[in-house]
């Protein structure tokens, strides 16, 4: 009996060792799959991949990729990874795609997807996703990945949203309106806090986080043709109202002047960990980060709620996320890229990173999304709004970032800064 047990143990160890060895053969730093696999797909990804800085996430992705390639043994994935300078990376990839030198399959940020669409560099994903799967997407996702003839040009696999985080021991009740938030932030400063924090520096996060306030008023950045309209008529009035709201937060001391230089969500996490703020506007993904950063007792004090609106009934929140798209003209490579989007990212990667799915049914499929926090995030997506999928959006965002810095620092008055931003956006629009 003992001998049999030892033999069984030895066999199990051999099989385990063989399995580990086989997995190691399949996964190197820049390759997934056997080195002599006859078919190759060049894949360029963000850190939503085995290149993630978190060892547990990186290991989880490696397992997903190895499991994926085992189902497609004739293929190997030649891996490329983007730097954290996403704007530059995406611009570089668009130029490569226009020149015919882009990777076969890549992560494309949802907010620049339209630029790739209008340049006709994206392959057709329509044959690889069923009508039921497309219909299951949140409406803003479905609209974002399809072009004018309803062809699916990418698969948008995760989304996010912005919320107001608060330390309940300092701010007991969730602010419902802009006025509520100002009062709560001012009250927190009397307890030694620095008020509400938000992005105000020169980067996309500043534009996107603030837009929730403009959208809550019903403001539009562009008309149906994609032409900027935010500096005209009623849109201008709404824009100024939302802009003055942020200016007043700084002028009143409800927000510190340093918000004009914040250009990283990590700054908010650091402030929460240092107990220097009780309020900040951040992304849903920061809830898990706070949980891993703060002591258990400290984390219990933190919660989140929808971003306050001008009134309690006027709410909006920005939604973003990443897509997987193919630039290849080889049908086999396009299909393999679609397989990657489906088998690794559409669900498994959502669960691994707790990044919100873009299909409603996946919230019920994965246990991780059954938590109260994720159920609350899912409900908040009802107020979600994606950035307009038009070529001029990146320049509009750039101008809003400049404008926000000028206004929050006091360099320009709001209307002067808005006029400058709108005129610059219009000049850029004429050059498209």
């Amino acid at each position: 009996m003992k001998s049999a047990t030892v033999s069984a143990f030895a066999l199990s160890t051999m099989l385990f060792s063989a399995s580990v060895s086989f997995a190691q053969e399949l996964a190197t730093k820049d390759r997934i799959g056997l080195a002599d696999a006859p078919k190759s797909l060049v894949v360029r990804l963000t850190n939503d991949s085995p290149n993630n800085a978190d060892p547990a996430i990186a290991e989880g992705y490696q397992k997903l990729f190895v499991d994926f390639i085992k189902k497609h043994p004739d293929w190997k994935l030649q891996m490329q990874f983007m730097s954290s300078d996403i704007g530059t990376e995406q611009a570089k990839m668009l130029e490569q795609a226009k020149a015919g030198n882009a990777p076969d399959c890549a992560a494309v940020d949802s907010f620049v997807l339209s630029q790739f669409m209008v340049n006709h560099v994206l392959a057709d994903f329509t044959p690889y996703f069923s009508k039921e799967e497309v219909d299951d997407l949140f409406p803003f996702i479905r609209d974002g990945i399809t072009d004018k003839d309803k062809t699916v040009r990418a698969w948008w696999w995760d989304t996010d949203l912005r919320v107001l985080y608060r330390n309940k021991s300092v701010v007991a009740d969730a602010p419902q309106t802009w006025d509520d938030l100002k009062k709560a932030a001012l009250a927190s400063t009397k307890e030694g806090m620095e008020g509400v924090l938000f992005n105000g520096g020169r980067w996309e996060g500043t534009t996107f986080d603030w837009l929730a306030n403009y959208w809550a008023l019903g403001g539009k950045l562009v008309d149906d043709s994609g032409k900027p309209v935010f500096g005209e008529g009623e849109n201008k009035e709404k824009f100024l109202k939302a802009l003055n709201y942020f200016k007043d937060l700084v002028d009143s001391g409800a927000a510190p002047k340093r918000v004009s230089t914040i250009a990283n969500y990590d700054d908010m996490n650091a402030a929460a960990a240092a107990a220097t703020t009780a309020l900040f506007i951040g992304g849903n993904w920061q809830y898990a980060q706070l949980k891993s950063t703060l002591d258990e007792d400290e984390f219990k004090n933190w919660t989140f709620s929808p971003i306050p609106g001008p009134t309690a009934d006027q709410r909006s929140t920005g939604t973003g996320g990443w897509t997987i798209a193919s630039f290849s003209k080889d049908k086999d490579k396009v299909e393999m890229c679609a397989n990657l989007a489906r088998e690794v990212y559409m669900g498994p990667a959502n669960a691994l990173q707790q990044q919100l799915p873009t299909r409603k049914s996946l919230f019920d499929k994965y246990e991780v999304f059954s938590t109260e926090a994720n159920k609350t995030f899912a409900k908040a997506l009802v107020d979600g709004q994606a950035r307009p999928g038009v070529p001029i959006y990146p320049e509009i965002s750039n101008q809003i970032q400049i404008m926000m810095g000028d206004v929050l620092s006091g360099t320009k008055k709001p209307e002067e800064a808005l006029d400058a931003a709108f005129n610059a956006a219009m000049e850029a629009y004429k050059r498209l």
Side-chain angles (χ1 to χ4, degrees), residues 350-354 363 365-371 374:
N350 295 109
L352 173 63
Q353 290 190 274
Q354 296 192 40
F363 280 88
K365 180 176 180 180
Y366 292 93
E367 185 176 355
V368 66
F369 296 114
S370 66
T371 64
N374 281 323

Side-chain angles (χ1 to χ4, degrees), residues 150-340:
K150 302 301 179 186
T151 300
V152 177
R153 293 294 178 184
W155 194 254
W156 192 335
W157 65 274
D158 76 321
T159 189
D160 50 34
L161 72 158
R162 275 62 179 167
V163 294
L164 175 68
Y165 286 93
R166 76 178 196 279
N167 185 322
K168 293 180 290 186
S169 69
V170 180
V171 182
D173 299 321
Q176 300 295 317
T177 67
W178 291 355
D179 286 341
D180 290 345
L181 177 57
K182 179 181 176 181
K183 291 175 184 175
L186 285 172
S188 75
T189 64
K190 294 177 180 177
E191 297 191 35
M193 304 290 175
E194 56 180 343
V196 61
L197 300 182
F198 49 80
N199 283 301
R202 185 80 183 271
W203 81 307
E204 169 64 16
T206 288
T207 297
F208 198 31
D209 295 0
W210 170 81
L211 278 175
N213 302 292
Y214 179 51
W215 286 331
L217 290 164
K220 294 184 179 300
L221 291 174
V222 297
D223 65 15
D224 292 341
S225 70
K227 178 183 174 184
V229 295
F230 63 89
E232 300 174 333
E234 291 184 358
N235 285 313
K236 181 176 182 178
E237 293 177 17
K238 294 171 181 174
F239 198 101
L240 282 173
K241 188 173 182 178
L243 183 56
N244 277 311
Y245 161 52
F246 261 33
K247 181 177 185 297
D248 181 54
L249 289 175
V250 174
D251 290 349
S252 66
K257 292 187 182 300
R258 80 176 181 94
V259 294
S260 66
T261 63
I262 294 180
N264 192 322
Y265 292 103
D266 291 344
D267 285 6
M268 272 75 93
N269 290 345
T276 57
T277 188
L279 291 159
F280 69 86
I281 294 170
N284 64 287
W285 63 90
Q286 288 180 265
Y287 191 71
Q289 292 174 349
L290 290 177
K291 186 175 183 179
S292 64
T293 301
L294 303 179
D295 292 339
E296 185 175 351
D297 289 342
E298 293 174 340
F299 177 69
K300 288 178 181 176
N301 287 329
W302 283 89
T303 188
F304 63 89
S305 56
I307 294 175
T311 69
D313 296 328
Q314 293 175 291
R315 300 293 183 97
S316 183
T317 184
T319 50
W322 282 89
T323 77
I324 297 292
S326 176
F327 301 109
S328 179
K329 297 186 185 305
D330 182 320
K331 287 187 177 180
D332 286 347
K333 292 186 177 183
V334 175
E335 182 174 6
M336 187 60 176
C337 183
N339 289 337
L340 181 69

